């Protein structure tokens, strides 16, 4: 059975994805920030694990990822504080990619956003700027990792590692 770990397991996408993965025969673990989110995650068919990805080292994340076949990053800071946005949407996301490699996980899926790229065009004075910058950096890091078979879902097209696309 394929083991899939979703980071950001209480988010909208994760709660929709978990039952689909479960129905297709996968074992799903969802990483959440707060214990009170566990009931909703379990109802979606996933095993809930409370873990602070924002403050975790690569080694700590690698330990969490050991034994998994795929990692799905669907977490986010939720806007507001630019420092936290960079900490979660850039730094923790990048750490999770490096941890996946360290743990021997071969597959990684990044849930990004429409327009995530270095030339995103969001003006620096916009409250969305930190998020756009963070996602662009995380997506660029993912594209640079050759040890992972990756997919980056952030637009109407799915960009797959190796330059392939699903339209």
């Amino acid at each position: 059975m394929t083991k899939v770990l979703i980071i950001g397991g209480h988010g909208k996408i994760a709660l929709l994805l978990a039952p689909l993965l479960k129905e297709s025969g996968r074992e799903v673990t969802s990483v959440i920030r707060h214990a009170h989110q566990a009931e909703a995650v379990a109802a979606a068919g996933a095993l809930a694990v409370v873990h602070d990805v924002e403050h975790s080292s690569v080694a700590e994340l690698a330990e969490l990822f050991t034994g998994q076949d795929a990692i799905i990053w669907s977490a986010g800071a939720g806007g507001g504080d630019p420092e936290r946005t960079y900490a979660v949407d850039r730094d923790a996301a990048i750490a999770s990619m490096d941890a996946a490699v360290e743990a021997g996980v071969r597959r990684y899926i990044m849930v990004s956003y429409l327009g995530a790229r270095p030339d995103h065009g969001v003006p620096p004075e916009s409250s969305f700027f930190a998020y756009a910058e963070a996602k662009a950096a995380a997506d660029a890091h993912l594209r640079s990792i050759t040890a992972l078979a990756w997919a980056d879902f952030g637009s109407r097209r799915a960009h797959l590692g190796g330059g392939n696309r699903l339209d």
Side-chain angles (χ1 to χ4, degrees):
M1 177 180 293
T2 302
K3 294 181 177 184
V4 178
L5 185 135
I6 303 172
I7 302 169
H10 190 251
K12 292 176 186 173
I13 291 171
L15 290 174
L16 292 171
L17 181 59
L20 298 174
L21 291 170
K22 184 78 172 173
E23 289 167 14
S24 69
R26 279 132 177 119
E27 182 179 311
V28 183
T29 301
S30 288
V31 178
I32 56 177
R33 277 184 268 180
H34 307 289
H36 71 270
Q37 299 168 327
E39 189 175 329
V41 167
L47 170 67
V49 173
V50 179
H51 189 87
D52 180 3
V53 297
E54 180 181 358
H55 298 103
S56 293
S57 68
V58 170
E60 291 166 333
L61 291 171
E63 185 177 329
L64 179 67
F65 297 171
T66 297
Q68 298 295 323
D69 297 301
I71 305 298
I72 301 173
W73 180 273
S74 189
D81 178 17
E83 280 188 37
R84 183 155 189 272
T85 297
Y86 285 118
V88 175
D89 294 291
R90 181 191 61 201
D91 302 340
I94 288 172
S96 76
M97 297 166 201
D98 295 342
V101 172
E102 188 174 308
V105 178
R106 295 282 306 134
R107 297 179 197 97
Y108 189 101
I109 297 173
M110 167 60 75
V111 177
S112 196
Y113 87 99
L114 179 65
R117 60 186 186 274
D119 63 341
H120 52 71
V122 177
E125 63 275 6
S126 170
S127 62
F128 194 68
F129 183 78
Y131 182 75
E133 287 284 292
K135 292 306 273 187
D139 289 359
H141 186 76
L142 179 59
R143 288 190 295 274
S144 76
I145 299 175
T146 59
L148 288 174
W150 56 267
D152 184 354
F153 293 94
S155 67
R156 288 174 238 212
R157 290 186 284 197
H159 299 275
L160 303 174
N164 300 313
R165 292 184 179 184
L166 288 177
D167 290 315

